[in-house]
Amino acid sequence: MNLSIFYNISLWLVGLVIFIILLSALEIGFRTGLKRHDLWKDADQGGGNIVQTSLFAVLGLVLAFTYSSSVSRYDARKAAVTTEANAIGTAFLRADLLAEPGRTELKASLLEYARTRTVPRGSVQNDEDRKVAIDRTLGKLEKIWPATVKAVSNEKPGPLLTSVITSINSALDAHTIRIEAVFDRLPTVIIWMLIFIAAAALSVAGFNAGIQGRMSRFRVSIFSAVLTVLIIVILDFDRPNVGLVIVENTHIDNLIVNMEEKLDQ
């Protein structure tokens, strides 16, 4: 369950570090180019512009792929929430097909479990928070199947009983799907590769500017900031509970309200 440092510290701190890395690479490249200014009069000597153009092309390609991958995982998380809400709601409704006393106990256990599946915004920010949240939901999840066995123990086998058990199984399976979606993150090596390529491209650009003897720090700083924002957005997609891009729990919240109303009737 342990995630990389990119997902365990503040997103704004990560962005600041990345921005400093990019500016440092640019400045190092520029100062190195200044030292070679008298030796290389033209930045295009030695394939300078070709290397620079190629590096920025590779950077654009990697950014496009990682951004697309992050958006896909974000969509998968939203779909997992909807799927789980539907599965729990269906199981809760089909529990009405069973007789007392097991029916109410099963519905109550499903409600208690559903309450653990909605996570308030910003409540899960590090590995310790994730462990607490998972332990809490597993504790409620483990009570569902014993309650199901107790509720169906006096029922005669038939289509209705099968539909109830199938819906309970779907709710249990939805838990696994959602957990898998939550922890499906961009691999750390890809993030480091992205930062490395961005820094390499900027260092070559700075080197070429140094050979020419001039560089607009304002413009290159703006470009570095844009690259940093893009990388942060990519990382933000993989933080479903904190940041600016949040996976909403609206479906689960509405389901809990509906289940509470029905259980009180």
Side-chain angles (χ1 to χ4, degrees), residues 45-227:
Q45 291 182 359
N49 287 335
I50 294 177
V51 173
Q52 177 179 313
T53 302
S54 299
L55 279 173
F56 277 110
V58 171
L59 176 60
L61 185 65
V62 174
L63 278 171
F65 275 116
T66 52
Y67 184 86
S68 175
S69 176
S70 295
V71 172
S72 297
R73 289 193 300 277
Y74 173 73
D75 290 338
R77 293 185 188 106
K78 292 196 299 182
V81 172
T82 303
T83 299
E84 183 171 46
N86 291 336
I88 296 174
T90 299
F92 185 83
L93 292 176
R94 290 187 181 179
D96 282 330
L97 299 174
L98 303 175
E100 291 290 8
R103 179 177 63 196
T104 300
E105 182 180 345
L106 176 57
K107 295 177 70 174
S109 66
L110 287 169
L111 174 57
E112 290 179 2
Y113 168 68
R115 287 170 176 161
T116 69
R117 304 307 291 152
T118 179
V119 185
R121 179 172 183 156
S123 62
V124 180
Q125 302 190 28
N126 51 49
D127 282 341
E128 184 61 30
D129 293 339
R130 295 181 188 96
K131 183 178 184 303
V132 171
I134 290 178
D135 289 344
R136 176 169 169 261
T137 194
L138 286 177
K140 300 299 182 181
L141 181 67
E142 291 173 354
K143 297 180 180 180
I144 294 178
W145 189 250
T148 302
V149 173
K150 180 179 179 181
V152 303
S153 60
N154 296 324
E155 299 288 338
K156 295 181 179 179
L160 293 181
L161 183 59
T162 300
S163 68
V164 173
I165 295 177
T166 300
S167 65
I168 295 295
N169 284 332
S170 296
L172 300 180
D173 292 341
H175 171 271
T176 303
I177 294 173
R178 188 175 175 192
I179 292 295
E180 177 64 24
V182 167
F183 286 97
D184 183 17
R185 308 292 179 96
L186 192 67
T188 304
V189 65
I190 300 298
I191 302 173
W192 283 117
M193 181 187 69
L194 182 58
I195 296 173
F196 173 76
I197 294 174
L202 287 175
S203 65
V204 171
F207 182 84
N208 289 346
I211 290 176
Q212 295 173 351
R214 61 188 185 278
M215 178 176 70
S216 172
R217 283 182 169 79
F218 173 75
R219 285 181 288 185
V220 295
S221 296
I222 293 298
F223 183 67
S224 299
V226 170
L227 285 179

